[in-house]
């Protein structure tokens, strides 16, 4: 069986070790967030290097925060983000961390269950980005839809997963592995497009309730568009 990590650029070459440590450490952290210095200390503890821990942590800290360092690259590729001066793992980063270390799958599932059951959606970072979108485009039907309505749509899907989160999460991991083996470059795909790929695959597979929510949202968008057109015609 092929090694999936060999097909993910951030997990190859000299930088692979630190990239894996960063993502795995963030997945283990409370709320998936740490300050840059906390992250450096946790990585130092994991590596168990000999010598003074403080000087070792300082060296790691420097590697993390310097220009074109580990954090900047992972942020540019969508695996992490910054929130209130803390480094935060994204949905894409969470998937990558599980691919890097399958033993963390149970931890990821717990965070997934917590997210969907608390109404935060797939992951707070992603949902907040969707909510800030003034207008976006619904991939499957090609219509423009308000960003807030898109947020409600994904929240509805997330809640629908809550009852069977473990099975659904495992299915997403297997699907993303298949995509990578078929040529998907995880470094280059945006979190938005990745989420569309893995979640809409699950919709097609098993989620009639989400399809109903999707249809309702489409109807609302079309009705709103119709009202706008009629209003413009009336004022013409």
């Amino acid at each position: 069986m092929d090694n999936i990590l060999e097909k993910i650029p951030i997990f190859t070459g000299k930088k692979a070790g630190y990239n894996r440590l960063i993502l795995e450490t963030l997945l283990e952290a409370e709320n998936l967030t740490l300050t840059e210095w906390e992250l450096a200390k946790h990585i130092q503890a994991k590596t168990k290097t000999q010598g003074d821990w403080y000087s070792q942590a300082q060296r790691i800290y420097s590697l993390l925060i310097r220009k074109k360092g580990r954090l900047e690259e992972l942020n540019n590729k969508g695996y992490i983000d910054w929130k209130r001066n803390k480094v935060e793992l994204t949905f894409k980063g969470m998937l990558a961390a599980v691919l890097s270390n399958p033993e963390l799958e149970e931890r990821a599932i717990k965070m997934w269950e917590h997210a969907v059951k608390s109404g935060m959606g797939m992951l707070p970072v992603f949902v907040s980005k969707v909510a800030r979108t003034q207008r976006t485009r619904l991939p499957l039907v090609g219509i423009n839809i308000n960003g807030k309505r898109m947020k409600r749509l994904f929240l509805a899907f997330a809640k629908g997963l809550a009852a069977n989160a473990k099975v659904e999460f495992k299915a997403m991991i297997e699907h993303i592995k298949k995509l990578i083996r078929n040529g998907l470059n995880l470094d280059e795909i945006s979190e938005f497009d990745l989420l569309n790929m893995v979640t809409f695959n699950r919709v097609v597979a098993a989620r009639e309730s989400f399809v109903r929510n999707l249809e309702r949202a489409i109807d609302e968008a079309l009705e709103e568009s119709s009202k706008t057109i009629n209003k413009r015609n009336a004022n013409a």
Side-chain angles (χ1 to χ4, degrees):
M1 187 175 180
D2 60 326
N3 183 354
I4 197 71
L5 298 188
E6 293 177 355
K7 301 180 183 295
I8 304 174
I10 62 162
F11 294 146
T12 61
K14 295 180 179 180
K15 303 173 183 177
Y18 271 109
N19 286 340
R20 292 182 64 179
L21 282 168
I22 291 166
L23 298 183
E24 292 174 19
T25 301
L26 286 171
L27 179 52
E28 293 170 335
E30 183 178 0
N31 297 323
L32 311 180
T33 63
L34 289 170
T35 66
E36 294 163 344
W37 176 239
E38 288 171 340
L39 181 58
K41 289 195 297 182
H42 278 73
I43 291 175
Q44 189 278 330
K46 281 176 173 287
T47 55
K48 297 179 180 179
T49 51
Q50 294 182 346
D52 176 51
W53 76 267
Y54 184 80
S55 60
Q56 293 291 339
Q58 283 278 24
R59 184 181 66 82
I60 295 170
Y61 179 73
S62 176
L63 291 172
L64 297 182
I65 68 166
R66 69 188 181 188
K67 187 175 179 60
K68 296 184 180 180
R70 296 298 82 239
L71 295 184
E72 182 177 325
E73 181 180 6
L74 291 175
N75 174 247
N76 289 339
K77 293 180 177 179
Y79 293 101
I80 65 169
D81 207 341
W82 274 273
K83 183 178 181 181
R84 299 188 183 92
N85 298 319
K86 286 191 174 185
V87 184
E88 182 174 55
L89 193 67
T90 63
F91 173 80
K92 177 178 172 178
M94 180 171 69
L95 291 178
V98 173
L99 293 173
S100 169
N101 184 358
E103 292 183 3
L104 292 175
E105 185 175 273
E106 290 301 318
R107 165 65 178 168
I109 290 171
K110 287 182 180 179
M111 295 305 298
W112 171 270
E113 290 176 327
H114 171 70
V116 297
K117 289 180 179 178
S118 63
M120 289 190 294
M122 301 306 170
L123 210 63
V125 171
F126 173 79
V127 173
S128 64
K129 287 178 180 176
V130 171
R132 290 197 300 268
T133 304
Q134 185 176 6
R135 296 196 72 81
T136 187
R137 197 165 185 83
L138 198 57
L140 292 185
V141 294
I143 65 170
N144 289 323
I145 186 168
N146 180 279
K148 289 183 179 179
R149 186 173 290 119
M150 177 65 92
K151 177 185 177 181
R152 292 202 303 271
L153 194 63
F154 277 106
L155 286 176
F157 175 54
K159 290 177 181 178
L161 293 180
N164 205 18
K166 186 172 184 177
V167 171
E168 295 292 350
F169 187 87
K170 286 178 176 292
M172 283 200 301
I173 290 293
E174 290 307 310
H175 183 58
I176 197 67
K177 285 180 181 178
K178 181 179 178 181
L179 291 172
I180 292 170
R181 291 189 181 108
N182 288 337
L184 174 71
N185 187 328
L186 196 60
D187 280 15
E188 294 182 357
I189 189 170
S190 71
E191 185 173 49
F192 184 87
D193 289 339
L194 179 64
L195 186 56
N196 278 337
M197 282 186 176
V198 295
T199 57
F200 279 107
N201 173 72
R202 300 308 300 150
V203 170
V204 172
R207 286 291 166 228
E208 293 182 4
S209 61
F210 179 68
V211 173
R212 289 195 296 270
N213 287 325
L214 177 62
E215 291 173 343
R216 189 178 301 115
I218 293 170
D219 288 341
E220 289 178 2
L222 292 174
E223 183 180 354
E224 182 180 323
S225 298
S226 179
K227 287 179 179 179
T228 301
I229 293 172
N230 291 337
K231 186 175 180 180
R232 287 175 181 172
N233 290 338
N235 294 332

